[in-house]
Amino acid sequence: MSFSVDVHVAERDVRLHLTVAAGETVAVLGPNGAGKSTLLGAIAGLIRPDSGRSELNGTVLFDLPDGPGRGIWRPAHQRGVSLLAQEPLLFPHLSVLDNVAFGPRSTGATTAGARETAARWLGEVDAEPLAARRPAELSGGQAQRIAVARALASDPGLLLLDEPLAALDVSVAPAVRRMLRRVLVDRSAVIVTHDVLDAYTLADRVVIVENGRISDEGIPAEVFDLPRGAFAASLSGVNLVTGIRRGHTLLTAEGDEITLAADGTAPEGARLSLAVRPAAVTVTVEQPTDLAVTRVCARMIDLEPRGDVVRVRSSVLAADVSPQQAAQLDPAVGSPVWFSFPASAGTLYPSARAEDPSGN
């Protein structure tokens, strides 16, 4: 294992455990205030947790036991960790070349050696022609490329990326994302992001953080196609319903009974999750005549226009319908209606992973 961290910050109610294998990129996603920035700050040495331990390639970054005692705390500049923030934060008085050379120089390289390393990394991020420019002469995408080169030029054992594409124009972000995918190959990295596309294109593994705890983790397709929590489901754009199998129904904690068109081989009483995309869900005022569908009767809460479709919301499922269908359903807002879909459109699966490394 290349990197591991256990961190506890009492004031923010954060208790997290994360590992990153050699050459692995891990994407960390979660709602605002979940603990993602606290995790990065503790790894980078910017936040001192109340207790915990972290090790990178055999070197202890910190070891802070519970209770009195100072423990081990390695300062940020001695950790072999590079942090790439949302903003490039380049030194305005230095050229692009000297900005990138700053890392190697700070670790003892000669001026000539540092500039040689910087030139190589500028080539890696497709920015060699920018070497003589100052940061004020760069576009947002160019500046972020330089920031990536600077972060990697010091050859960190672990690269931390905090929303690296968030400040970029949507027309620029795809090219920078492709560049990151290339330079992160075989490099240990942790990327905090709100973008599912970042997770799919850049990460080998995804970790979901909610309320200061890891709520799910796995390969991107597993986490987003078969989500365990509402946050991951919202990111992937699917309805997620969790409940207990009772005969041919899924009984939710709120008391809703979803009649299942197919329930597989799950035993009675098994805790199951059901995922289905809103576009696959049909809404009718009357009970569906085809009883070989998964269906539930729920109160329609609202109709929400979304471009070419209208989102029909209830306490159980959401459906995307045409404006014409929405107009027909409008008088039924606030009343019970039927949401249904064929078995092939939904996925029914155990709510817990077969192996849950987060311990949840």
Side-chain angles (χ1 to χ4, degrees):
M1 192 61 63
S2 173
F3 172 75
S4 65
V5 61
D6 286 283
V7 59
H8 172 218
V9 179
E11 183 181 1
R12 306 182 189 186
D13 191 24
V14 170
R15 284 186 181 273
L16 296 171
H17 170 72
L18 180 70
T19 61
V20 182
E24 182 184 33
T25 296
V26 176
V28 179
L29 299 91
N32 291 333
K36 306 184 301 296
S37 296
T38 299
L39 175 65
L40 283 195
I43 297 171
L46 306 178
I47 294 175
R48 186 183 180 102
D50 296 291
S51 62
R53 191 178 194 279
S54 182
E55 185 174 317
L56 175 62
N57 296 328
T59 298
V60 176
L61 305 186
F62 63 84
D63 191 353
L64 305 172
D66 283 312
R70 301 185 62 180
I72 299 172
W73 180 258
R74 187 177 293 271
H77 65 279
Q78 295 180 3
R79 294 193 171 198
V81 174
S82 286
L83 173 62
L84 179 65
Q86 293 183 28
E87 300 294 337
L89 302 177
L90 301 176
F91 301 119
H93 62 291
L94 296 180
S95 68
V96 162
L97 183 67
D98 286 334
N99 260 282
V100 180
F102 179 83
R105 286 286 289 135
S106 66
T107 58
T110 64
T111 299
R115 286 184 170 178
E116 182 179 348
T117 299
R120 177 169 58 83
W121 275 108
L122 287 177
E124 289 287 338
V125 300
D126 301 323
E128 285 178 295
L130 307 176
R133 295 190 190 181
R134 295 292 176 91
E137 302 174 284
L138 303 175
S139 68
Q142 290 171 337
Q144 196 67 328
R145 287 176 181 273
I146 305 312
V148 171
R150 184 177 65 177
L152 292 173
S154 58
D155 193 26
L158 181 68
L159 179 64
L160 307 177
L161 303 98
D162 187 5
E163 298 279 1
L165 305 177
L168 298 181
D169 186 271
V170 292
S171 63
V172 175
V176 176
R177 185 180 290 110
R178 287 192 293 270
M179 179 271 296
L180 283 173
R181 182 171 57 191
R182 188 179 70 251
V183 300
L184 290 179
V185 171
D186 298 328
R187 182 170 293 276
S188 300
V190 176
I191 175 171
V192 165
T193 179
H194 283 93
D195 195 327
V196 174
L197 184 58
D198 290 346
Y200 270 113
T201 58
L202 301 177
D204 303 296
R205 183 161 51 93
V206 171
V207 171
I208 304 294
V209 176
E210 299 180 85
N211 301 314
R213 308 292 188 273
I214 291 178
S215 61
D216 198 6
E217 62 181 299
I219 62 173
E222 180 182 51
V223 171
F224 296 124
D225 293 351
L226 305 176
R228 284 180 58 191
F231 180 77
S234 68
L235 287 177
S236 54
V238 302
N239 286 295
L240 175 66
V241 183
T242 301
I244 303 296
R245 181 188 168 188
R246 293 285 183 261
H248 292 289
T249 67
L250 186 66
L251 179 63
T252 72
E254 293 75 24
D256 297 296
E257 291 189 13
I258 301 175
T259 303
L260 301 172
D263 54 15
T265 58
E268 182 76 8
R271 187 167 181 80
L272 302 175
S273 291
L274 176 64
V276 60
R277 296 199 172 276
V281 181
T282 299
V283 185
T284 56
V285 174
E286 302 296 333
Q287 181 174 348
T289 55
D290 181 3
L291 298 183
V293 294
T294 295
R295 58 197 182 277
V296 63
C297 187
R299 185 177 67 85
M300 182 171 25
I301 296 174
D302 207 353
L303 298 171
E304 176 187 322
R306 290 193 165 204
D308 295 335
V309 300
V310 177
R311 176 67 55 87
V312 183
R313 293 193 176 279
S314 77
S315 58
V316 185
L317 293 175
D320 287 341
V321 303
S322 70
Q324 181 182 5
Q325 291 172 308
Q328 295 171 349
L329 291 169
D330 186 66
V333 171
S335 302
V337 296
W338 286 88
F339 293 77
S340 63
F341 55 90
S344 59
T347 304
L348 192 67
Y349 54 97
S351 295
R353 302 273 184 237
E355 294 183 6
D356 188 0
S358 68
N360 290 295

